[in-house]
């Protein structure tokens, strides 16, 4: 052993070949400051050794290196530009020092080699991967770009077009795809990885592989003539503009950096990379996306902890109600290996539920993501029934009948009588109080809310709602089952609308008030989509949710929180509902829906919607985009703050993830609390006060005023 650190070691064999082995404390290897420093020290030790013929870099863990330690970024990125530039410049030089060793190097890649881990392999002269490998540069997902030489080395190894596609999408590759694109030199079985890498390293040391020429290509300008460069980078700029849009600066910066660095050597190209990295580190998008990553880690960590504590394993589910939602839940359970009984009172409803599952599977087959065997096994795992007796062996029942408190209570009572004493019972309600529904049960401790979002197979979030009598054992078992079903659970406490819908309806109320004051719903949708970044504007979202569903839910919310969510007189949503304009479900709402000659779906603002509202709204006028955003987002933010202050949700990070996963909150904004903090708490209070006269949903709490005055943070 010629070097031994906490994260890596270097040993030299009798034949003169070194092995640099990453084996950090913990379950994975990552590039924290300690590891970077040890890599530099190890490279210096090898360079001065004198008798080394080559070095093999590998991991002693099931993964190679997962990337940089993101937890260090929050403090780092709060420093000055000069301090960040000094850090990234010094760190990237460590990879240069390794790359410049006076003998060949090879990376033996197993499992994940992402971000800094991928950049470590690129600093090697040769790369071999096993069949478990996943290789990529996902920094764009954090609002960043590679900072340890990735934008320099990858284009010079696989060409600028391929490299920019890797980096601007952040998608990783398996070994075979990476081999096809020229990023690695061989793919072997896991048990052959070390031997194959060592054999290739010996060939390089003996001159059978020209490793010096490979290294020279990585440290020289890109081999592109003027026309090739113009075509390559103009195409990349157009693709990024179309796919990423204006809210995500990172992919645009990558294209610009690789373009400007194409005529420079390694030192010049790295300088541009370092400067680009610093600019991105200071953007709101990077702060937001890093915040999402850390919040996601928190949510997953809490979920795993609860799942580990679960005393009851759910081996069979039952779903009550076989509509589109029930069918979606049944599909999700079956697709993830949990057999499910799907019960309804009507055969045509069961047929609809099975049809929903089949439709999802058929689409998967069309895309090549589902095999016929998988389709058959999934459908065979769903047992449709009209009888309660078929559920007697279920470990957990998910009620998904119509959103009506009396009907749900009746069904839940019947269910409790039909299942065993330890069967967990859940309600997939979106707004109705869990404590209220629990009154119909003899054993409320085994009951909780399990709120899925539509479409079930696509939406990651499941809200787990704890009632006042719900036991922790019940919550833990439901969280474990939710994760087994491939969903992200976030536990919240009971209140009308729980978390997601409770904060959504003030947003809808802000939209209705804005229309009553003369705003055009098409203009509002455009601002909220193009400028704020929502996947759908409020009018379009209401059509997708269902105007009838939204109107009913708003009545439930008004009953539950009358001091802020009372029904609005002449609410445009209610006006559409009374005219039986229900949204996409009957092809008419704020928009009319249809299809063109090629069968593609169409959406057009409905003249009928304007006519219906004409006698109830003010004369049409234009609103500034900032006012539109404020009048919709301030109510949502205020209600989210109340949920946190009341203990409905445990943390701002979990609230952000719930809105991201449940509503599609724009990722580049990081979530509702990250948006508030990006504005600044003092500025947010000032903004809300500007519209306070519009009603209680615009009026901030004393708690947020106090936080703003004391310069506190929701993420401290």
């Amino acid at each position: 052993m010629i070097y031994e650190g906490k994260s890596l070691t270097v040993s030299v064999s009798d034949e003169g070949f070194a092995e640099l082995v990453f084996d950090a404390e913990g379950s994975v290897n990552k590039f924290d400051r300690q590891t970077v420093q040890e890599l530099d020290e190890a490279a210096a030790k090898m360079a001065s050794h004198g008798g080394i013929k080559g070095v093999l870099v590998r991991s002693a863990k099931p993964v190679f290196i997962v990337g940089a330690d993101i937890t260090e970024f929050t403090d780092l990125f709060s420093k000055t530009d000069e301090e960040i530039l000094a850090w990234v410049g010094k760190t990237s030089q460590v990879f240069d020092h390794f790359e410049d060793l006076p003998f060949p190097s090879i990376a033996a890649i197993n499992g994940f080699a992402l971000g800094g881990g991928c950049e470590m392999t690129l600093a090697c002269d040769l790369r071999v991967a096993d069949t478990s490998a996943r290789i990529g540069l996902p920094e764009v997902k954090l609002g960043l770009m590679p900072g340890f030489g990735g934008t320099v080395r990858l284009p010079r190894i696989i060409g600028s077009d391929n490299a920019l596609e890797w980096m601007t999408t952040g998608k990783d590759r398996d070994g075979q795809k990476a081999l096809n694109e020229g990023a690695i030199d061989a793919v072997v079985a896991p048990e052959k990885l070390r031997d194959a890498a060592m054999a290739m390293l010996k060939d390089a040391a003996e001159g059978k592989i020209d490793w010096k020429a490979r290294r020279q290509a990585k440290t020289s300008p890109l081999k592109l003539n003027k026309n090739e460069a113009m075509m390559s980078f103009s195409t990349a700029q157009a693709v990024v503009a179309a796919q990423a849009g204006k809210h995500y600066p990172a992919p645009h910066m990558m294209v610009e950096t690789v373009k400007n660095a194409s005529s420079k050597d390694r030192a010049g190209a790295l300088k541009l990379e370092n400067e680009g990295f610093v600019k991105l580190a200071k953007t709101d998008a990077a702060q937001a996306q890093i915040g999402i990553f850390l919040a996601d880690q928190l949510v997953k960590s809490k979920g795993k902890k609860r799942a580990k504590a679960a005393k009851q394993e759910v081996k069979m589910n039952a779903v009550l109600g076989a509509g589109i939602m029930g069918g979606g839940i049944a599909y999700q359970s079956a697709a993830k290996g949990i057999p499910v009984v799907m019960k309804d009172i009507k055969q045509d409803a069961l047929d609809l539920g099975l049809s929903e599952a089949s439709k999802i599977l058929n689409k998967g087959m069309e895309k090549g993501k589902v095999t016929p065997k998988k389709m058959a096994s999934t459908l065979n795992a769903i047992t449709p029934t009209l009888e309660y007796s078929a559920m007697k062996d279920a470990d957990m029942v998910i009620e998904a009948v119509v959103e009506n408190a009396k009907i749900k209570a009746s069904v839940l009572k019947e269910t409790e009588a039909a299942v065993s004493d330890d069967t967990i019972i859940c309600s997939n309600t979106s707004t109705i109080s869990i404590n209220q529904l629990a009154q119909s049960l003899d054993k409320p401790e085994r009951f909780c809310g399990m709120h899925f979002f539509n479409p079930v197979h696509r939406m990651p979030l499941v809200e787990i709602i704890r009632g006042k009598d719900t036991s922790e054992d019940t919550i833990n078992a439901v969280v474990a089952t939710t994760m087994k079903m491939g969903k992200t659970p976030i536990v919240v406490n009971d209140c009308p609308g729980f978390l997601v819908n409770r904060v959504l309806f003030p947003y809808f109320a802000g939209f209705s008030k804005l229309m009553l004051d003369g705003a055009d719903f098409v203009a509002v949708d455009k601002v909220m989509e193009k400028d704020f970044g929502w996947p759908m504007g409020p009018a379009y979202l209401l059509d997708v949710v269902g105007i009838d569903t939204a109107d009913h839910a708003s009545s439930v919310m008004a009953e539950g929180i009358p001091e802020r969510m009372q029904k609005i007189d002449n609410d445009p949503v209610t006006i559409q509902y009374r005219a039986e304009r229900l949204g996409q479900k009957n092809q008419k709402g704020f928009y009319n829906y249809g299809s063109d000659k090629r069968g593609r779906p169409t959406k057009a603002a409905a003249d009928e919607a304007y006519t219906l509202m004409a006698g109830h709204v003010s004369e049409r006028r234009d609103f500034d985009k900032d006012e539109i955003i404020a009048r919709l987002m301030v109510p949502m933010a205020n209600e989210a703050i109340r949920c946190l202050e009341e203990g409905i949700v445990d943390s701002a990070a979990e609230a952000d993830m719930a809105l991201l996963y449940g509503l599609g909150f724009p990722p580049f904004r990081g979530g509702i609390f990250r948006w508030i903090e990006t504005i600044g708490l003092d500025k947010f209070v000032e903004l809300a006060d500007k519209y306070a006269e519009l009603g209680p949903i615009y009026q901030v709490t004393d708690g947020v005023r106090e936080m703003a005055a004391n310069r506190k943070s929701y993420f401290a």
Side-chain angles (χ1 to χ4, degrees):
M1 196 81 68
I2 66 168
Y3 181 83
E4 186 169 6
K6 291 183 178 179
S7 299
L8 58 89
T9 60
V10 180
S11 59
V12 182
S13 69
D14 293 341
E15 294 178 277
F17 289 96
E19 280 194 65
L20 190 160
V21 181
F22 285 91
D23 191 10
E25 297 173 355
S27 59
V28 296
N29 297 315
K30 54 188 174 183
F31 274 120
D32 53 19
R33 296 185 190 191
Q34 174 74 30
T35 303
V36 170
Q37 181 181 333
E38 289 183 7
L39 176 61
D40 207 25
E41 292 170 357
K45 185 71 73 172
M46 287 188 287
S48 63
H49 186 272
I52 296 176
K53 298 177 182 177
V55 58
L56 185 153
V57 181
R58 66 178 179 87
S59 167
K61 297 185 181 300
V63 298
F64 187 72
I65 302 170
V66 296
D69 186 352
I70 310 302
T71 61
E72 295 183 343
F73 283 8
T74 304
D75 289 338
L76 174 68
F77 291 174
S78 66
K79 297 182 184 298
T80 65
D81 288 7
E82 292 74 18
E83 289 172 309
I84 302 172
L85 185 60
W87 170 81
V88 73
K90 184 178 178 181
T91 303
S92 61
Q93 285 174 8
V94 171
F95 288 78
D96 292 355
H97 296 161
F98 178 86
E99 186 172 48
D100 293 340
L101 288 169
F103 42 77
S105 57
I106 189 166
I109 308 166
N110 64 312
F112 291 111
L114 303 176
C118 178
E119 288 173 296
M120 181 71 235
T121 74
L122 299 177
C124 294
D125 301 310
L126 302 159
R127 289 159 293 282
V128 179
D130 71 19
T131 50
S132 74
R134 302 294 307 187
I135 306 162
L137 294 168
E139 289 86 351
V140 69
K141 297 176 183 179
L142 297 175
L144 299 171
M145 62 191 280
F148 304 156
T151 69
V152 179
R153 295 184 177 96
L154 189 62
R156 287 156 177 78
I157 292 172
I158 66 173
S160 59
D161 290 347
N162 281 337
L164 285 170
E165 203 276 331
W166 277 50
M167 294 186 293
T168 59
T169 64
K171 294 178 182 177
D172 54 60
R173 266 73 172 158
D174 62 19
Q176 188 59 52
K177 187 166 178 58
L179 177 66
N180 294 343
E181 292 178 300
I184 62 174
D185 301 293
V187 181
V188 298
E191 66 272 14
K192 296 180 179 179
L193 179 61
R194 182 186 174 281
D195 290 345
M198 187 58 76
M200 189 174 287
L201 181 63
K202 289 178 179 178
D203 283 347
E206 293 170 8
K208 297 177 183 177
I209 298 174
D210 193 349
W211 59 275
K212 291 182 179 179
R214 287 166 165 258
R215 187 177 295 182
Q216 179 66 33
K218 287 193 292 175
T219 56
S220 303
L222 273 169
K223 292 182 172 63
L224 287 174
N225 64 41
K226 189 175 181 179
N227 287 336
E228 288 172 333
M230 183 183 72
M231 286 295 294
S232 174
F233 297 120
S234 60
T235 300
Q237 286 168 331
V239 170
V240 166
Q243 294 183 351
K246 65 182 181 179
H247 297 300
Y248 296 89
H252 299 279
M253 179 67 77
M254 291 180 199
V255 176
E256 195 67 18
T257 299
V258 175
K259 173 186 173 183
N260 293 338
S262 62
S263 61
K264 299 183 182 300
D265 62 9
R266 185 183 71 184
L270 276 171
K271 182 176 182 293
L272 292 177
E273 179 185 272
N274 293 166
E275 291 168 354
F277 183 91
V278 174
K279 289 177 183 176
L280 290 174
K282 288 294 189 178
T283 61
D284 291 341
Q287 298 291 330
Q289 289 173 265
I290 291 167
I292 287 172
F293 177 86
L294 296 174
D296 189 48
Q297 295 298 301
L298 171 69
V299 167
K300 287 177 178 174
S301 173
K302 292 183 78 166
K304 288 176 182 176
K305 187 175 180 180
R306 283 193 171 277
K308 191 175 181 180
K311 297 176 181 177
Q312 184 175 351
E313 182 183 0
V314 173
K315 297 179 180 178
M316 177 184 286
N317 279 327
V319 176
L320 290 172
I324 290 176
M325 180 61 81
I329 296 171
Y331 159 81
Q332 192 66 31
S333 180
K336 295 300 180 180
I338 305 177
V340 58
V341 174
M342 184 170 63
K343 195 263 178 201
D344 206 287
I345 58 174
K346 295 180 180 178
Q347 184 61 47
D348 57 352
L350 292 175
D351 294 341
L352 176 63
L354 286 172
S355 173
E356 182 67 16
S358 297
K359 186 166 65 176
I360 297 167
L361 289 161
N362 279 321
K363 286 184 178 178
M365 286 185 67
E366 289 171 9
K367 295 177 180 178
K369 295 180 178 180
V370 174
T371 64
K373 183 178 179 181
K374 175 67 175 176
M375 181 170 185
S377 66
T378 301
L379 291 176
N380 287 337
I382 302 174
T383 303
T385 183
L386 297 171
E387 305 295 332
Y388 273 114
S389 58
M391 304 189 314
K392 62 183 176 63
D393 295 324
D395 301 299
M396 188 169 88
V397 179
I398 305 166
E399 169 272 306
V401 303
V402 64
E403 190 75 353
N404 179 289
K406 289 183 179 179
I407 294 174
K408 283 183 180 289
S410 174
V411 168
L412 289 168
K413 189 173 183 63
E414 291 172 356
T415 300
E416 189 175 40
V419 298
S420 66
D421 287 344
D422 59 354
T423 299
I424 295 167
I425 302 174
C426 306
S427 176
N428 177 52
T429 176
S430 56
T431 53
I432 302 169
S433 166
I434 293 302
N435 290 329
Q436 177 188 343
L437 292 174
Q439 293 173 11
S440 64
L441 298 173
D442 293 329
K443 297 179 71 175
E445 66 274 10
R446 62 167 168 172
F447 175 65
C448 70
M450 193 179 187
H451 179 206
F452 289 82
F453 291 78
N454 198 26
V456 174
H457 66 291
R458 287 185 186 165
M459 300 300 283
L461 177 68
V462 175
E463 276 183 305
I464 311 297
I465 304 101
R466 181 197 289 110
K468 65 182 178 64
D469 296 318
T470 307
S471 71
E472 285 302 295
D473 286 344
T474 295
I475 293 294
N476 291 342
V478 175
V479 165
T481 306
T482 301
M483 294 175 72
K484 193 174 176 182
M485 290 173 69
K487 298 300 178 184
T488 299
I490 292 181
V491 179
V492 300
N493 287 317
D494 187 40
C495 69
F498 320 128
L499 173 63
V500 174
N501 280 333
R502 179 170 160 181
V503 303
L504 177 61
F505 277 88
Y507 170 86
F508 282 153
F511 168 62
S512 292
K513 287 174 180 288
L514 194 60
M515 279 197 293
L516 289 172
D517 285 345
D520 177 11
F521 65 81
V522 174
V524 174
D525 273 6
K526 184 177 180 182
V527 167
M528 298 312 292
E529 291 169 6
K530 303 296 184 185
D531 293 291
F532 193 82
W534 283 104
M536 300 178 195
Y540 186 22
L541 178 59
L542 283 159
D543 277 358
V544 171
V545 168
I547 301 292
D548 52 341
T549 301
D551 184 73
H552 172 75
S554 68
S555 297
V556 175
M557 297 302 296
E559 184 178 347
I561 311 177
E563 64 274 19
R564 287 189 307 283
M565 299 193 195
Q566 62 272 37
K567 292 281 279 186
I568 298 170
D569 292 340
N570 298 320
D571 188 338
V573 176
T574 303
I575 290 169
Q576 300 300 321
Y577 168 60
R578 288 173 179 165
E580 297 185 358
R581 300 186 65 81
L582 308 182
Q584 284 191 338
K585 64 179 64 178
N586 71 347
Q587 303 292 289
K588 53 187 181 180
F590 287 101
Y591 297 90
N592 288 328
Y593 300 88
S595 55
D596 63 16
K597 293 179 181 178
R598 297 184 181 181
R600 295 174 299 193
T602 59
K603 173 175 73 98
D607 290 336
E608 301 93 329
Y610 287 115
T611 301
L612 282 167
M613 291 186 293
H616 307 283
V617 301
S618 298
E619 186 177 345
R620 181 90 57 86
R621 65 187 178 94
D622 293 332
F623 286 82
D624 175 83
K625 69 178 182 180
D626 290 336
E627 181 173 358
I628 291 173
I629 291 170
R631 288 187 59 171
L632 270 65
M633 294 308 303
V634 166
M636 175 179 278
N638 275 336
E639 205 61 37
I641 289 168
R642 290 179 186 276
C643 285
L644 185 61
E645 291 180 354
E646 293 170 15
I648 301 302
V649 64
D650 285 347
S651 66
E654 288 166 278
D656 279 355
M657 292 311 299
L659 268 60
L660 185 82
Y661 284 156
L663 294 180
F665 200 96
F668 70 91
R669 296 197 184 275
I672 190 69
F673 282 97
R674 188 68 61 179
W675 176 71
I676 295 167
E677 295 227 342
T678 299
I679 295 172
L681 263 64
D682 55 342
K683 296 294 184 184
F684 172 75
V685 169
E686 185 181 313
L687 180 65
D689 285 346
K690 180 179 177 182
Y691 298 102
E693 64 183 21
L694 293 176
I697 59 174
Y698 291 92
Q699 293 161 10
V700 301
T701 68
D702 291 338
V704 72
R705 285 192 193 280
E706 183 180 339
M707 287 190 67
N710 294 323
R711 299 185 179 278
K712 291 184 178 180
S713 168
Y714 286 111
F715 298 97

